[in-house]
Amino acid sequence: MKVAKVEITAEVQELVETELRKGASNSRIANLLDLPYKEAVEIIDTIKENLRPDVGDEIIFTFREEPMEGKIEKLLTNSAIVKINWTHSAERMHDLVEEKTVVNFKDIEGFKSQINEDDEQEE
C-alpha cells in the first residue's frame, strides 16, 4: 500500500496498529516511525481505515454525539458486539443503549490501552 511518498510496509502497519490499540497519540507514532507529523498522520489515517479490531480490545466510540467506551466481545463482518463500560461512558445514554451494542468498525475512534506497556518498560 502506498500513501503520499511513503510505502506502508507490513512492519510499519503492524507498528501503527499495535500503537493504536495501546492508545498511543499520533505524535508518539510519528516519533516511532521517525517521520514528520503530517506524513505520519496520513499513514495512521490510512491504516486506521483498514484496521480490524480484535476480541477483547477496549474501544472509544461516539453514539449520538456522546462519548462511549466498551470492550469488544464478538467480531462481525464490519462491526463488533461491544459491552459498554458505563464508568467511562455518557450516563444519560443508559436509557437508550443496552448493556451491549453493535459498533461499526468505521465508528471506532480509538483504542484504550488495556496494559500500559510504556510504564512497564520504564520500570
Side-chain angles (χ1 to χ4, degrees), residues 78-120:
N78 292 314
S79 57
I81 306 294
V82 176
K83 182 174 182 182
I84 304 297
N85 177 345
W86 288 111
T87 307
H88 295 100
S89 297
E91 195 172 314
R92 67 188 196 120
M93 299 306 289
H94 211 286
D95 292 336
L96 296 173
V97 181
E98 298 289 328
E99 181 180 332
K100 296 179 185 180
T101 191
V102 176
V103 177
N104 289 319
F105 293 160
K106 65 180 177 66
D107 295 330
I108 296 174
E109 294 178 2
F111 295 87
K112 287 200 61 152
S113 175
Q114 293 176 354
I115 300 172
N116 193 338
E117 293 174 11
D118 293 337
D119 289 345
E120 289 177 2

Side-chain angles (χ1 to χ4, degrees), residues 1-2 22 36 47 49 57 64 71 80 103-104 110 114:
M1 184 181 319
K2 191 169 176 127
K22 287 174 25 180
I47 291 173
E49 286 176 19
D57 283 348
R64 293 192 181 175
K71 186 174 184 176
V103 177
N104 289 319
Q114 293 176 354

Side-chain angles (χ1 to χ4, degrees), residues 51-86:
L51 179 62
R52 184 173 171 84
D54 291 325
V55 171
D57 283 348
E58 292 184 24
I59 62 169
I60 300 166
F61 62 99
T62 302
F63 181 73
R64 293 192 181 175
E65 299 180 18
E66 292 292 335
M68 304 287 287
E69 290 183 14
K71 186 174 184 176
I72 294 177
E73 292 193 339
K74 183 177 182 179
L75 293 174
L76 306 172
T77 304
N78 292 314
S79 57
I81 306 294
V82 176
K83 182 174 182 182
I84 304 297
N85 177 345
W86 288 111

Side-chain angles (χ1 to χ4, degrees), residues 8-65:
I8 299 176
T9 64
E11 183 180 325
V12 168
Q13 181 153 347
E14 185 177 339
L15 172 78
V16 172
E17 286 181 4
T18 300
E19 292 300 316
L20 286 171
R21 284 193 174 94
K22 287 174 25 180
S25 67
N26 286 352
S27 58
R28 172 170 167 69
I29 295 171
N31 189 30
L32 291 171
L33 293 173
D34 196 26
L35 290 172
Y37 181 80
K38 195 171 184 176
E39 282 183 46
V41 168
E42 288 180 31
I43 292 171
I44 293 165
D45 288 345
T46 300
I47 291 173
K48 199 183 279 189
E49 286 176 19
N50 300 317
L51 179 62
R52 184 173 171 84
D54 291 325
V55 171
D57 283 348
E58 292 184 24
I59 62 169
I60 300 166
F61 62 99
T62 302
F63 181 73
R64 293 192 181 175
E65 299 180 18

